[in-house]
Amino acid sequence: MARRYYSSIAAQTTLSAGVDSSTATIPVTAVSGWPSSFPYTLLIDKDTVNEEIVSVTGRTGTTLTVTRGVDGSSGVAHSAGANVQHGVSARDFNEPNDFINGTGVVTTALIADSSVTSAKIADGTIVNADVNASAAIAQSKIASLTTDLAAKFPLNVATSPQTASYILDIEDAQNVVEMNVGSANTLTIPPNSSVAYPVGTSIFVVQTGAGQTTIVPGSGVTINSFLGLKIIGRWAGCTLIKRATNTWVAVGGLVA
């Protein structure tokens, strides 16, 4: 639905020459008071058997460019002198009623720039599919993004210092365990039934004491390593990565 233009002072006129049923240009004797913007509606031979509604899409002097037979009317031939007047037709009343009844279609051409504000958009009506992949939304515009990511991938790694042999706890996930023990000691990876780390969990182990730390599997746990499961010495360490329910891999400074 395109906007149409109107004038309250448009004077009636007549065709200055006859036209057939299909020509797209019609000559009139005057255009006094008619709209200066397009399109607008004209009625030719109104209230006769030859009545036709046309849309004027352009004008040069008194020659009009038109779309013939609109709004349910048909293109018919008209004689010179036929009455021509600016007016309205059924569509001018039907279209507003469609919006009143909730059946009208609002196109982008009908929406003024900056007229749609957040106050006009109901909460929850815009979903992921409505956002174009190239929208390039700034991270600062996404509420709680940093907090949510930090909850999944902690930005501050915590350190858990131990002074004796130790069994890993759920709080050790993605953190550092320091084994500060003066004699030989063990660090045990518990079975999934005891501590259900998500697959992909990483735990960093550092031997800070003089006692050698050995990584030990709990009941039913398998630990894969290239050489062995003993940290090679003080200030060395390894990373433990969970690969399956009860399967881990140990990588880093380890010996048999």
Side-chain angles (χ1 to χ4, degrees):
M1 181 185 70
R3 175 181 177 178
R4 289 182 293 277
Y5 294 86
Y6 305 89
S7 172
S8 299
I9 58 171
Q12 294 188 36
T13 187
T14 58
L15 292 180
S16 59
V19 295
D20 62 22
S21 61
S22 60
T23 183
T25 56
I26 60 175
V28 293
T29 57
V31 291
S32 177
W34 287 11
S36 57
S37 298
F38 309 96
Y40 57 85
T41 301
L42 292 183
L43 311 175
I44 305 175
D45 277 330
K46 186 176 183 294
D47 296 331
T48 72
V49 295
N50 290 326
E51 179 174 333
E52 180 184 354
I53 304 167
V54 302
S55 287
V56 180
T57 57
R59 185 180 74 207
T60 301
T62 55
T63 299
L64 311 176
T65 301
V66 299
T67 301
R68 302 290 299 272
V70 301
D71 203 14
S73 69
S74 299
V76 295
H78 302 279
S79 302
N83 178 266
V84 179
Q85 57 183 279
H86 171 49
V88 296
S89 61
R91 62 185 175 179
D92 293 286
F93 305 98
N94 288 333
E95 290 168 355
N97 274 308
D98 286 341
F99 287 100
I100 292 171
N101 295 323
T103 57
V105 177
V106 178
T107 64
T108 54
L110 298 176
I111 302 174
D113 290 345
S114 303
S115 63
V116 178
T117 64
S118 57
K120 300 293 185 181
I121 302 174
D123 289 346
T125 56
I126 296 179
V127 297
N128 184 65
D130 297 321
V131 181
N132 190 285
S134 60
I137 299 173
Q139 293 184 14
S140 60
K141 300 295 185 180
I142 304 175
S144 303
L145 176 64
T146 301
T147 302
D148 292 344
L149 288 176
K152 294 182 179 295
F153 304 98
L155 301 179
N156 297 316
V157 176
T159 299
S160 173
Q162 304 299 324
T163 57
S165 293
Y166 178 64
I167 300 174
L168 290 173
D169 184 79
I170 191 65
E171 299 298 328
D172 297 318
Q174 311 302 130
N175 289 323
V176 176
V177 176
E178 291 187 351
M179 299 301 293
N180 186 13
V181 187
S183 58
N185 60 89
T186 60
L187 181 139
T188 303
I189 300 177
N192 190 77
S193 58
S194 297
V195 182
Y197 295 110
V199 172
T201 294
S202 295
I203 300 172
F204 311 98
V205 183
V206 179
Q207 180 185 314
T208 60
Q212 186 173 44
T213 298
T214 301
I215 311 301
V216 177
S219 177
V221 175
T222 299
I223 306 174
N224 297 302
S225 176
F226 179 66
L227 290 177
L229 295 174
K230 296 180 183 292
I231 296 178
I232 59 176
R234 194 175 190 183
W235 305 118
C238 67
T239 302
L240 306 176
I241 304 170
K242 186 171 184 177
R243 301 186 65 244
T245 303
N246 277 309
T247 303
W248 294 69
V249 61
V251 295
L254 295 166
V255 293

